[in-house]
Amino acid sequence: MTVQRADARRNYARILAVAEEEVAAHGADASLENIARTAGVGSATVRRHFPSRQTLLEAVFSERIDALVARATASAGAPDARAALLEWLGALTAYASSARGLAEALTLAGTDDPDHAPACCSAKLAGAADPLLQRAAQAGAVAPGVTAADLVTLVTGIVLATEHHQDPAAEANRLLDLTLRGVVPQG
Amino acid sequence: MTVQRADARRNYARILAVAEEEVAAHGADASLENIARTAGVGSATVRRHFPSRQTLLEAVFSERIDALVARATASAGAPDARAALLEWLGALTAYASSARGLAEALTLAGTDDPDHAPACCSAKLAGAADPLLQRAAQAGAVAPGVTAADLVTLVTGIVLATEHHQDPAAEANRLLDLTLRGVVPQG
DNA sequence: GTGCGATACGGAGGGCCCCACCACTTAGCA
DNA sequence: TGCTAAGTGGTGGGGCCCTCCGTATCGCAC
């Protein structure tokens, strides 16, 4: 392929816009067919631009993910490494539990193509969290053996498990706090 | 209804047996229709005995859930309250991550009928965990504000988030350990 | 043993969805 | 202005979920 044709780019954008609304409304298992209908294209066109549901979800969330990544790099040099990490994890949790479908998308990551992994959401987040984690670890604030991927996984799990709560964001935040401080401290 | 007819009871048992295998093989979103076919009954019969997918899942897991509950009550009087709690949580995690679909079933709980809640899996587990938690708390081993439901929710989340890992059980156990000890201790 | 009423069954049909194929349109270069 | 490859969307097959309703079966009463 040389470069995408103009109409293809137009359709891509339109589908993505509709998909954002639809995923926000119905979560990760929004109907692809419905998205196609609303966008005024055939269902095959959706599948061409986004071969799998996972691909579409990643595209939908990628901007916000990038924002979180940027935020992480911005606070990489903050004076209090521990606080910076905590704050970022809080932001991640808040966003993930407000954006229906993100958490499911994160767990699905790496389940299909093994090599497409580095480009996917969770890898990007883990990559962004890593510097924060390293600095906090150097400050002696982090338990041994914790990886950035662990942090993302834990947050994902909390969000998934609180999804059906009333006020999921608050519950998720509370459980995050618990997890960070330790449920049964002084091991 | 007076009492169930003999053939109805037979069908119920047969469906349940098939459902166990099918859920073990395909997780919480196993095909109800396929279960019906394998059991040699019409799909309507499945729906009659188990009005919702959630109902079926609860039935599938109830024996094992009851076993976990029994285990909790058995170790309610153990000398080391903290160790007893930890051990039970480990067992819960191990079972949940080995039994496909259990974690999803736990998160779905209470999402439909508000009053059927007490009978459902997660409530049963939380009820069983509560005495262990209380005793551990009295021993000063538990962070303030932790409820039994929190414990079940956290384990559920960890299991959900590690489901697509290779070796999910080991990963889940590691993350449980992290959560209990605290990722970023000394709050 | 037989008849009857309530209970339980399962097939059929509608709606929705995912997926793959393929004849057709259209953009963009020469 | 033509040509060609890129892109499109309609269509059909396969599944699944769910509901309705005519029918078969059970189990009690006689």
Side-chain angles (χ1 to χ4, degrees):
Chain A
M1 66 171 79
T2 56
V3 79
Q4 222 175 18
R5 242 166 59 173
D7 55 344
R9 250 173 295 137
R10 209 166 31 235
N11 275 337
Y12 181 96
R14 192 151 52 185
I15 291 168
L16 190 54
V18 172
E20 281 172 12
E21 298 173 17
E22 211 65 17
V23 169
H26 302 109
D29 45 3
S31 157
L32 299 186
E33 197 132 327
N34 196 30
I35 291 174
R37 230 174 297 138
T38 309
V41 301
S43 67
T45 299
V46 171
R47 295 196 60 71
R48 185 165 316 110
H49 286 294
F50 306 99
S52 72
R53 162 173 256 101
Q54 173 69 6
T55 316
L56 202 172
L57 291 176
E58 276 175 24
V60 165
F61 294 125
S62 76
E63 303 154 21
R64 306 297 293 264
I65 296 289
D66 288 346
L68 282 166
V69 170
R71 182 166 175 168
T73 52
S75 61
D80 187 343
R82 185 173 182 279
L85 178 61
L86 294 190
E87 192 209 323
W88 188 79
L89 287 175
L92 171 60
T93 305
Y95 175 51
S97 77
S98 78
R100 297 200 52 179
L102 211 200
E104 282 124 300
L106 286 176
T107 55
L108 264 59
T111 206
D112 317 300
D113 317 50
D115 58 337
H116 115 293
C120 82
C121 297
S122 67
K124 267 157 93 174
L125 286 174
D130 200 47
L132 291 177
L133 176 66
Q134 295 305 333
R135 283 195 60 233
Q138 279 175 15
V142 180
V146 177
T147 71
D150 290 345
L151 296 179
V152 175
T153 303
L154 283 173
V155 168
T156 302
I158 288 174
V159 170
L160 282 177
T162 55
E163 205 163 35
H164 297 292
H165 255 260
Q166 66 280 33
D167 200 353
E171 185 74 358
N173 192 55
R174 198 173 62 82
L175 290 180
L176 173 65
D177 197 59
L178 236 49
T179 299
L180 296 176
R181 293 174 126 83
V183 175
V184 183
Q186 56 155 345
Chain B
M1 70 169 76
T2 57
V3 80
Q4 222 176 18
R5 241 166 59 176
D7 55 344
R9 251 173 295 135
R10 209 167 32 235
N11 275 336
Y12 181 96
R14 191 150 51 182
I15 291 168
L16 190 54
V18 172
E20 280 171 12
E21 298 174 16
E22 210 65 16
V23 169
H26 301 108
D29 45 3
S31 158
L32 300 186
E33 197 133 328
N34 195 31
I35 290 173
R37 227 173 302 140
T38 310
V41 302
S43 67
T45 299
V46 171
R47 296 199 59 70
R48 185 167 315 111
H49 286 294
F50 306 99
S52 72
R53 161 173 254 102
Q54 174 68 9
T55 316
L56 202 173
L57 290 176
E58 277 175 23
V60 165
F61 294 123
S62 75
E63 303 153 21
R64 305 297 292 265
I65 296 288
D66 289 346
L68 281 166
V69 170
R71 182 165 174 170
T73 52
S75 61
D80 186 343
R82 184 173 183 281
L85 178 62
L86 294 192
E87 190 209 325
W88 188 80
L89 287 175
L92 171 61
T93 304
Y95 175 53
S97 78
S98 77
R100 294 201 56 177
L102 211 201
E104 282 124 300
L106 286 176
T107 55
L108 265 58
T111 207
D112 317 300
D113 316 50
D115 57 339
H116 116 292
C120 80
C121 297
S122 66
K124 269 158 88 173
L125 286 174
D130 200 47
L132 292 177
L133 176 66
Q134 295 305 332
R135 283 194 60 232
Q138 277 175 18
V142 179
V146 178
T147 72
D150 290 346
L151 296 179
V152 175
T153 303
L154 283 172
V155 168
T156 303
I158 289 173
V159 170
L160 282 178
T162 55
E163 206 164 35
H164 298 292
H165 255 259
Q166 65 281 35
D167 200 352
E171 185 74 359
N173 192 55
R174 198 172 64 81
L175 290 182
L176 172 66
D177 197 59
L178 236 47
T179 299
L180 296 177
R181 293 174 126 82
V183 175
V184 183
Q186 55 154 345

